[in-house]
């Protein structure tokens, strides 16, 4: 069985990842793609109030389960669009350890801070300042196969660029380079 392709969108909250993913579902015409968003997994969690430690534990397990769900979908041949915020180093390390690097097209989704703040206020479902907090964290690894900026391009334009790039993705992907650099010598994912 041929593993599925993974288009992995990484950016801050409100950067446009979900909008790009919806456009990709519309423009990609060479397979059956599924949009898996970390927010969707968070929404499945119980609604009862959790103390800070309990919430942190639940969120970590949720994200680890999300990563493994993406890997399982791709392993059986499904093409997947991942919508994620790699704002903690362990998240990227865990993804690098469970996803086949040769199957991943790693896309950095950027947006200017002022626009992120405007979007947060307009959405009303995120704390204002969340994206600003994540801004320097999500891209600190410094390596992508492709990058787009939703401050200068529409989600549709980003999706079209990704579609055009997908068949020409590098043989040695950003995930492969990052895995070699960050997991060399068996570095822990914790």
């Amino acid at each position: 069985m041929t593993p599925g392709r993974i288009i992995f969108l990484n950016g801050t909250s409100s950067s446009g990842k979900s909008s790009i993913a919806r456009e990709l579902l519309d423009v990609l015409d060479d397979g059956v793609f599924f949009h898996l968003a970390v927010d969707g997994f968070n929404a499945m969690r119980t609604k009862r109030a959790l103390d800070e430690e309990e919430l942190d534990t639940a969120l970590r397990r949720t994200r680890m389960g999300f990563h493994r769900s993406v890997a399982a979908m791709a392993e059986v041949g499904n093409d997947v669009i991942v919508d994620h915020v790699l704002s903690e180093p362990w998240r990227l390390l865990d993804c690098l350890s469970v996803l086949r690097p040769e199957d991943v097209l790693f896309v950095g989704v950027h947006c200017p801070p002022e626009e992120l703040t405007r979007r947060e206020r307009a959405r009303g479902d995120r704390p204002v300042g969340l994206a600003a907090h994540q801004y320097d964290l999500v891209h600190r690894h410094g390596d992508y196969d492709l990058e787009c900026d939703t401050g200068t391009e529409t989600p549709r334009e980003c999706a079209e660029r990704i579609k055009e790039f997908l068949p020409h993705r590098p043989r040695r992907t950003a995930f492969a380079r990052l895995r070699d650099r960050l997991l060399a010598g068996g570095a822990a994912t914790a």
Side-chain angles (χ1 to χ4, degrees):
M1 181 176 309
T2 303
R5 297 165 291 174
I6 301 170
I7 300 172
F8 195 117
L9 306 173
N10 177 47
T12 65
S13 173
S14 301
S15 63
K17 300 177 307 296
S18 296
S19 297
I20 293 170
R22 284 190 294 276
E23 293 293 343
L24 281 166
L25 290 175
D26 189 45
V27 302
L28 292 169
D29 54 9
D30 68 335
V32 177
F33 280 84
F34 294 85
H35 173 204
L36 298 180
V38 74
D39 286 348
F41 273 61
N42 289 335
M44 292 186 276
R45 190 180 66 247
T46 184
K47 302 302 180 216
R48 90 176 158 78
L50 303 172
D51 66 42
E52 188 174 335
E53 183 179 332
E54 196 177 17
L55 179 61
D56 287 346
T57 299
L59 289 175
R60 186 177 183 97
R61 284 194 319 255
T62 301
R63 283 160 178 77
M64 290 177 77
F66 174 65
H67 303 158
R68 282 148 185 82
S69 296
V70 169
M73 286 289 285
E75 181 181 317
V76 297
N78 293 299
D79 292 325
V80 181
I81 302 163
V82 176
D83 170 348
H84 205 350
V85 180
L86 298 175
S87 58
E88 296 174 279
W90 76 265
R91 294 181 193 181
L92 175 59
L93 294 174
D94 195 49
C95 288
L96 292 171
S97 72
V98 300
L99 301 177
R100 289 172 32 103
E102 60 272 17
D103 299 332
V104 179
L105 172 64
F106 198 27
V107 180
V109 179
H110 301 275
C111 185
E114 316 75 49
E115 177 61 13
L116 290 169
T117 300
R118 188 198 66 72
R119 290 178 187 178
E120 283 176 333
R121 284 196 173 100
R123 286 175 72 156
D125 65 349
R126 299 282 194 281
V128 174
L130 176 62
H133 170 73
Q134 297 169 341
Y135 193 79
D136 290 327
L137 303 175
V138 298
H139 305 296
R140 75 176 143 222
H141 54 80
D143 195 357
Y144 288 106
D145 297 306
L146 182 66
E147 298 182 67
C148 51
D149 185 338
T150 61
T152 59
E153 298 173 285
T154 67
R156 184 63 165 225
E157 290 168 334
C158 292
E160 291 287 353
R161 281 192 43 222
I162 294 166
K163 176 186 176 181
E164 290 171 18
F165 188 83
L166 188 59
H168 309 289
R169 65 187 188 271
R171 187 170 215 132
R172 185 156 160 67
T173 66
F175 252 52
R177 295 186 301 269
L178 287 165
R179 181 184 258 190
D180 287 351
R181 190 175 90 217
L182 300 175
L183 295 183
T189 60

